[in-house]
Amino acid sequence: MIEAYFIHLAILVGIYLILALSLQLALGYAGLINLGHIAFFAIGAYVSALLTLNGIPFIIAILLAGIISAGFGFLLSIPTNKLKGDYLALATLAFTFVVYAITLNWTSLTRGPLGLPGIPKPSIFGLSFSSNLSFLVLTIIIVLLAYFIIKRIVDSPFGKVLEATRDNELATKVLGKNTFKIKSIALGTSAFFAGIAGSLYAHYITYIDPSSFTIMQLIPILCIVIIGGLASLRGTVIATIILILLPEPLRFIGFPSSVIGPMRQIIYALILLIILLYRPKGFFGKVELE
Amino acid sequence: MMKKQNKIYLTIGIVAVVLIAAIVMFSSPKGEDTIKIGVIAPLSGGPALWGQGSVNMIQLAAEEINSQSGIDGKNIELIIEDGKCNPNDAITAAQKLINVDNVKYILGGHCSPETTAIVPVVDKAKVFLLAGVTSTDYGVSGSKYAFRTSPPTIDQAEIVADVAYNKYNYKKIALITEEAAYAKSFSEDVKKSFAGEIIEELNYVPGEKDFKTGLAKIKDKNPDAIWISPQDPAEAVIILNQMKELDMLDIPLFGNTIFVSSNVATTSGGLLPESAFTITLFTDPNSPKSKEVQGKYQAKYGSTVPYNLYYISAAYDATNMLSDAIGKCGEDVDCVQEFFLGIDNYQGVAGDFTFKENGDPIFDSWKEMKIVDGKTILE
Amino acid sequence: MSSIALQLLINGLIAGAIYALVASGFSLIYSTNKFIHFAHGAVIAFSAYVLYFLFSVLGLNFGFAVVLAIVFASLLGYGMDFFVYKQLRKKKTSSVILLIASVGLLILLESFILLLFGADVKTIGFIKVSKGIEFLGAIITPLQIFIILSSIILLVGLFVFMKKTKLGKAMRAVSDNKDVAEIVGISSEKIYSWSFIIGSAIAGIAAILISLEQNLEPTMGTNLMIKGFAAAIIGGIGSVHGAVLGAFLLGIVENFGIWYLPSGYKDAIAFVLLFIFLLFRPQGILGIKRRAEK
């Protein structure tokens, strides 16, 4: 039965991977310091949960989760277009808090802190994914899709222009490219996949409440993206696996949990700092931040 | 490039090996002579007040059973995980207990979000769940194998509303609620049941430190009484402090069992008014059984039973009821489930237990509770 | 009815004063170093816990413990600069990397606090809670008056410091134009260090007052920082007096805001305000335009 535990971990890795890859698209390739990524995750989770709890089939719910998150991504890109790095970071951070406040306070929609229990397991055209193994299969399929789509984007001519915008927006504009449109598409796509990840999360844990979507959830993802290396999808994959699985053995060595929790964060923070100090490109990165 | 790649794969390999080794080393093989019971409770943060207390009780009960030759000669082995009152952590804890430790029974969650998240998992895995300190309306009703020792807040709220309106003549009240599962659930139920008028509401986010404006709003409306429903006792203390500063402590107060508790009374330095009442499940602190258990708790842990005598004693009873079931049924979880449905007035320390079909306990004895130097209980 | 308005104003000033204590130190560091030093919140939290440890656990004299805590704060800030930021500056990394590094430091320190002290709320039992002083129908406690006065004194002090002292002028020079300042013979590295020492000392003072008024918990730093930099941006992040102005404004808007809105949205008010400013006037009320936009 140990495989079942591994399957559980694998599903979590998969969900985090989609989050990390989508953040990589925005941060590493487009150079957008999007600290609001968790907000898109939350929007996707709540949209998908509310839709399926009201009878909408899963396949529509997950797609809508992605699309609505993407919509918010586009919306967010409008006011933040002119903002420089630090300010963009703050604006997106503020967005996370506003979304959190809404999930907590708009109780008629989200039930606030009571959360949404009983989210149904996915069922596509009659095929039910209620066992963990089948859910893992579903997750893997979606992860692969996400990876391939994002890879296609970054390898395409659009991807090149995206990176050019990241490196020197002024020059890119001078060359006649509409950098606003480019950044919007990047942020929107990034939000789309975060929304999909949110939907998967909601349907796996089957219960969501606002506490699952705070700024603290962003930290591991941010660490993964930077440690794996900016503008490297492969680095993101490897970093996700390592950073999510690394703290698990701690659980077994019998440390009290009041120690494990902070230890985990300390490990993340130390690795992050060490990478920034000695290897700012991360393990596989092609680029340093600016 | 090749070398770096090899390094990375090596790292992944090492992590995987360490993980597997740890799991293999630290999960005891099947067939050992112990009966493993999983425990999930919040062991960190504000909810640890009752989480740790519940776990302490469970350990106390298990030790007692073991000292009396265990269950059919086998000792109970408790495997304790921290659910952190959080669905994510609770599910991972449950997954680990079920799949790595191979437990067939779990005492947990001890916090509403934990329990809500775990319930779907245990049904699928055919593992028996006995939850504590879980008072939301939907509770454990979604599942066959899940039971709980805490009744839903709606029953409590109805009595609170009734007592407030009829006995104390509070016709216009203000509500202060923490935006967290139990606190909110209770407040919503009070709102539904209260016959009078609710003239002002202050809903605060967990972690809020500044209630002064919200309190001023309430003071301005001049309520007959204020209902205070916190989730974290620390928040209750801050609210009391600021009410004192704003000279509001002459307004009568009543609240949930976290608010009217000895913990808050002490930590606030005695600011909790003696007139503040709550409705609690009644467990007679002076009954011989209760005194005995309280004494044992004090002896083993050096402090009195924390938080609320009912909820913590219930953990003791839960452990004992479960061992009785295991004694009769062994690992047959269906049999355990039937056993629990068949329990008729089990006379525990916390109270007498009988369970409904949906897993909730049937509970009739509610008492009004106030803190006066210790505890007073009326009806 | 107007006594309510006065109470709201007072509540707003108290909240604003707390934000100002946070924002001013942070803003000093930002205007000199040109990056967002998130870990400022951790300096506040850690110093508060040091005070708790020295006074409530070890039982040292309160005044003595206060001084030690402030010194500790300065050293901690200086240490962060020396061991992390300075090394990154040598590599000429961008302000975004420094921002992320500061996030790393924030997490590191908060986790240490969690590890050493646990997650529950701690109180420094120096001041006994009692009914506040009544003043034209509104109530305020002596501690709260002290907090407001402290932040005003701090504001004035910083103003004098920046305008009149040699070090202050040197800081402004580096803040305006580092290269020109260096030509005139000012060592920018020394100025950076000083900004951390002074800014973090202010954080220490903030820590003392805030922990007396609001108690301690491990995440207090993050929460304060978020409001603190929102205040700094609203007021004008390049300027220290801007930060203080923004702080008081934020405190007042929050408190008047939740008079009309459900109080659960209090934090959201701050962020929406922040967002609006970032949209329409990123340089804040007093700031200079060129810094915020590309």
Side-chain angles (χ1 to χ4, degrees):
Chain A
M1 287 255 266
I2 286 189
E3 329 81 59
Y5 183 60
F6 281 125
I7 292 178
H8 164 74
L9 287 180
I11 294 176
L12 289 181
V13 167
I15 294 177
Y16 274 109
L17 190 50
I18 301 176
L19 269 179
L21 287 171
S22 50
L23 183 61
Q24 179 69 270
L25 180 65
L27 183 61
Y29 289 95
L32 298 167
I33 321 294
N34 177 19
L35 295 186
H37 209 55
I38 292 294
F40 301 129
F41 185 54
I43 293 173
Y46 271 94
V47 165
S48 190
L50 287 169
L51 288 176
T52 49
L53 282 172
N54 281 297
I56 311 262
F58 172 74
I59 190 128
I60 298 183
I62 187 171
L63 283 174
L64 275 180
I67 293 174
I68 294 181
S69 293
F72 277 97
F74 279 118
L75 282 178
L76 190 60
S77 70
I78 299 175
T80 55
N81 181 43
K82 286 196 304 229
L83 294 178
K84 198 180 68 171
D86 302 355
Y87 290 84
L88 180 60
L90 292 182
T92 52
L93 193 63
F95 181 61
T96 306
F97 286 110
V98 173
V99 168
Y100 172 77
I102 293 178
T103 58
L104 199 58
N105 285 290
W106 194 359
T107 40
S108 53
L109 181 68
T110 65
R111 289 173 40 103
L114 297 178
L116 297 171
I119 304 173
K121 289 279 184 181
S123 145
I124 303 181
F125 305 126
L127 252 178
S128 165
F129 287 86
S130 56
S131 79
N132 275 4
L133 185 58
S134 54
F135 198 94
L136 178 62
V137 171
L138 178 66
T139 307
I140 292 180
I141 295 176
I142 297 183
V143 169
L144 287 173
L145 275 174
Y147 185 88
F148 282 126
I149 295 178
I150 294 180
K151 189 153 174 41
R152 285 295 300 273
I153 293 178
V154 305
D155 285 343
S156 73
F158 174 75
K160 302 297 169 227
V161 182
L162 194 60
E163 295 196 72
T165 312
R166 173 197 68 209
D167 292 333
N168 193 331
E169 185 165 353
L170 190 56
T172 315
K173 266 200 213 165
V174 164
L175 288 173
K177 297 290 177 190
N178 182 344
T179 56
F180 168 62
K181 199 169 91 170
I182 292 168
K183 287 193 293 183
S184 285
I185 295 179
L187 196 56
T189 314
S190 166
F192 176 79
F193 285 107
I196 302 273
S199 168
L200 275 178
Y201 176 83
H203 290 276
Y204 178 58
I205 309 270
T206 70
Y207 170 61
I208 55 174
D209 67 351
S211 73
S212 318
F213 305 112
T214 64
I215 189 71
M216 293 315 288
Q217 271 72 20
L218 180 67
I219 306 298
I221 314 286
L222 192 61
C223 287
I224 286 172
V225 169
I226 294 185
I227 293 171
L230 289 174
S232 160
L233 295 181
R234 195 172 25 157
T236 306
V237 173
I238 293 175
T240 308
I241 298 176
I242 296 182
L243 283 181
I244 301 294
L245 293 184
L246 197 65
E248 280 304 309
L250 284 179
R251 185 190 293 274
F252 294 93
I253 302 182
F255 283 122
S257 70
S258 55
V259 169
I260 295 182
M263 281 304 299
R264 197 179 188 137
Q265 299 280 76
I266 291 178
I267 291 176
Y268 282 151
L270 278 176
I271 298 183
L272 181 65
L273 286 171
I274 293 174
I275 295 277
L276 286 176
L277 281 170
Y278 298 112
R279 206 191 169 80
K281 286 198 183 137
F283 277 111
F284 282 103
K286 288 183 286 170
V287 163
E288 297 188 21
L289 278 164
E290 250 135 87
Chain B
M1 259 318 261
M2 252 343 208
K3 266 206 213 150
K4 199 168 32 162
Q5 241 173 321
N6 283 345
K7 246 199 283 180
I8 304 298
Y9 292 145
L10 190 61
T11 320
I12 299 185
I14 293 178
V15 173
V17 167
V18 170
L19 189 58
I20 297 177
I23 294 178
V24 166
M25 266 198 290
F26 289 99
S27 59
S28 27
K30 254 187 153 166
E32 243 192 40
D33 248 2
T34 58
I35 296 184
K36 291 193 281 187
I37 300 182
V39 178
I40 299 181
L43 299 175
S44 44
L49 176 65
W50 59 84
Q52 188 62 61
S54 300
V55 169
N56 287 347
M57 267 302 190
I58 295 174
Q59 284 176 313
L60 185 68
E63 271 172 25
E64 265 181 16
I65 298 174
N66 286 345
S67 71
Q68 290 161 16
S69 76
I71 304 178
D72 274 347
K74 292 201 202 155
N75 277 350
I76 297 179
E77 181 191 339
L78 295 173
I79 306 178
I80 303 172
E81 294 286 334
D82 184 358
K84 302 205 185 118
C85 200
N86 166 316
N88 225 345
D89 291 287
I91 282 220
T92 305
Q95 288 281 355
K96 180 214 168 236
L97 287 171
I98 296 176
N99 294 309
V100 179
D101 297 305
N102 294 311
V103 302
K104 290 272 174 259
Y105 340 88
I106 296 181
L107 289 166
H110 288 85
C111 198
S112 303
E114 286 179 358
T115 311
T116 314
I118 305 174
V119 164
V121 175
V122 299
D123 255 16
K124 237 194 293 173
K126 257 195 146 191
V127 165
F128 183 78
L129 186 76
L130 185 54
V133 197
T134 300
S135 352
T136 45
D137 297 354
Y138 41 82
V140 295
S141 50
S143 105
K144 179 180 176 201
Y145 295 112
F147 287 73
R148 61 172 167 174
T149 55
S150 328
T153 49
I154 184 72
D155 302 337
Q156 238 170 329
E158 276 169 9
I159 304 181
V160 167
D162 182 52
V163 167
Y165 190 78
N166 291 316
K167 176 172 173 193
Y168 288 101
N169 283 314
Y170 302 147
K171 308 296 181 198
K172 305 181 304 174
I173 60 172
L175 308 178
I176 300 182
T177 311
E178 183 163 337
E179 295 278 9
Y182 163 69
K184 182 92 188 177
S185 161
F186 208 152
S187 280
E188 292 294 304
D189 287 339
V190 168
K191 245 168 57 169
K192 272 187 247 178
S193 320
F194 187 65
E197 206 194 321
I198 299 187
I199 54 174
E200 185 59 59
E201 281 182 58
L202 165 54
N203 296 324
Y204 65 90
V205 168
E208 180 62 68
K209 295 283 194 321
D210 185 355
F211 299 92
K212 299 196 280 281
T213 297
L215 287 173
K217 247 165 118 167
I218 291 178
K219 187 176 174 188
D220 189 53
K221 293 271 172 73
N222 225 342
D224 294 330
I226 307 178
W227 157 263
I228 303 188
S229 184
Q231 180 97 0
D232 188 338
E235 300 284 352
V237 173
I238 300 180
I239 294 176
L240 283 171
N241 284 346
Q242 291 178 356
M243 285 182 82
K244 170 117 196 176
E245 285 173 15
L246 290 173
D247 197 24
M248 282 172 73
L249 284 179
D250 50 347
I251 306 178
L253 304 176
F254 62 120
N256 64 18
T257 47
I258 294 180
F259 182 64
V260 183
S261 66
S262 46
N263 175 277
V264 168
T266 326
T267 317
S268 67
L271 284 181
L272 183 68
E274 297 190 341
S275 63
F277 80 91
T278 185
I279 300 295
T280 179
L281 298 150
F282 176 59
T283 172
D284 183 0
N286 293 313
S287 79
K289 258 197 228 167
S290 181
K291 279 194 112 96
E292 192 190 328
V293 171
Q294 287 180 63
K296 286 190 194 159
Y297 190 97
Q298 171 91 38
K300 182 168 157 89
Y301 298 106
S303 67
T304 53
V305 174
Y307 177 49
N308 177 291
L309 192 58
Y310 173 78
Y311 287 114
I312 307 291
S313 312
Y316 181 88
D317 291 331
T319 317
N320 280 305
M321 284 191 277
L322 184 59
S323 333
D324 287 348
I326 299 176
K328 177 151 185 270
C329 301
E331 296 202 337
D332 181 351
V333 175
D334 281 306
C335 169
V336 173
Q337 187 248 359
E338 274 165 25
F339 180 93
F340 267 83
L341 280 182
I343 290 181
D344 190 15
N345 250 329
Y346 171 90
Q347 306 206 304
V349 176
D352 299 334
F353 286 95
T354 310
F355 294 95
K356 296 194 248 193
E357 274 281 346
N358 68 356
D360 285 349
I362 299 177
F363 228 81
D364 260 332
S365 80
W366 301 92
K367 294 255 185 229
E368 193 183 321
M369 180 175 119
K370 301 180 180 172
I371 309 281
V372 181
D373 268 348
K375 246 165 46 158
T376 340
I377 305 188
L378 322 146
E379 168 67 65
Chain C
M1 205 31 202
S2 68
S3 72
I4 299 297
L6 183 61
Q7 183 71 59
L8 292 187
L9 182 62
I10 287 181
N11 291 346
L13 286 176
I14 298 168
I18 290 178
Y19 297 151
L21 289 167
V22 175
S24 51
F26 164 72
S27 189
L28 182 67
I29 295 175
Y30 180 84
S31 66
T32 317
N33 292 273
K34 299 285 189 294
F35 74 94
I36 297 182
H37 168 56
F38 266 112
H40 193 68
V43 173
I44 298 179
F46 222 99
S47 326
Y49 273 88
V50 164
L51 175 67
Y52 166 77
F53 182 68
L54 293 175
F55 175 71
S56 306
V57 176
L58 290 185
L60 294 182
N61 168 271
F62 186 71
F64 191 50
V66 164
V67 170
L68 281 181
I70 296 179
V71 169
F72 174 83
S74 264
L75 285 175
L76 183 59
Y78 177 73
M80 285 187 200
D81 180 53
F82 187 76
F83 288 110
V84 179
Y85 299 138
K86 186 164 164 169
Q87 310 306 319
L88 287 173
R89 272 201 297 267
K90 278 194 203 153
K91 298 185 174 195
K92 302 210 182 278
T93 57
S94 72
S95 62
V96 175
I97 298 228
L98 290 165
L99 185 158
I100 297 188
S102 77
V103 171
L105 283 168
L106 176 65
I107 311 243
L108 190 65
L109 287 174
E110 269 191 7
S111 306
F112 263 117
I113 294 177
L114 205 50
L115 198 60
L116 294 172
F117 292 97
D120 27 301
V121 171
K122 307 266 189 263
T123 43
I124 297 189
F126 183 62
I127 296 186
K128 191 159 161 35
V129 176
S130 62
K131 180 186 140 165
I133 304 170
E134 199 159 326
F135 175 69
L136 295 180
I139 300 188
I140 188 168
T141 66
L143 176 62
Q144 289 160 357
I145 296 178
F146 190 68
I147 291 178
I148 297 181
L149 285 178
S150 300
S151 63
I152 295 179
I153 294 176
L154 195 61
L155 173 63
V156 171
L158 275 175
F159 185 75
V160 168
F161 170 74
M162 295 297 261
K163 275 266 184 338
K164 308 278 183 188
T165 68
K166 194 163 166 221
L167 183 55
K169 289 194 230 185
M171 274 192 195
R172 279 192 299 139
V174 169
S175 165
D176 270 347
N177 194 324
K178 182 187 105 171
D179 298 324
V180 171
E182 297 222 295
I183 293 176
V184 187
I186 299 177
S187 151
S188 54
E189 270 304 321
K190 256 179 45 178
I191 298 297
Y192 292 147
S193 303
W194 273 111
S195 73
F196 274 98
I197 293 176
I198 298 180
S200 305
I202 299 177
I205 298 174
I208 315 287
L209 293 170
I210 294 173
S211 53
L212 286 172
E213 170 73 7
Q214 291 188 344
N215 303 327
L216 299 92
E217 58 171 350
T219 54
M220 63 190 282
T222 320
N223 302 336
L224 288 166
M225 254 327 278
I226 290 165
K227 294 290 182 74
F229 72 60
I233 300 235
I234 291 170
I237 197 165
S239 117
V240 178
H241 357 292
V244 174
L245 176 68
F248 280 105
L249 187 67
L250 182 61
I252 293 175
V253 170
E254 270 186 356
N255 280 281
F256 275 94
I258 58 177
W259 185 259
Y260 298 105
L261 294 172
S263 7
Y265 283 110
K266 180 151 89 131
D267 291 344
I269 293 179
F271 301 121
V272 170
L273 204 58
L274 172 65
F275 209 77
I276 292 177
F277 268 88
L278 282 174
L279 244 82
F280 297 112
R281 202 184 158 84
Q283 69 274 28
I285 298 177
L286 293 186
I288 311 162
K289 197 161 169 88
R290 59 182 154 87
R291 296 233 176 78
E293 305 191 349
K294 282 200 211 195

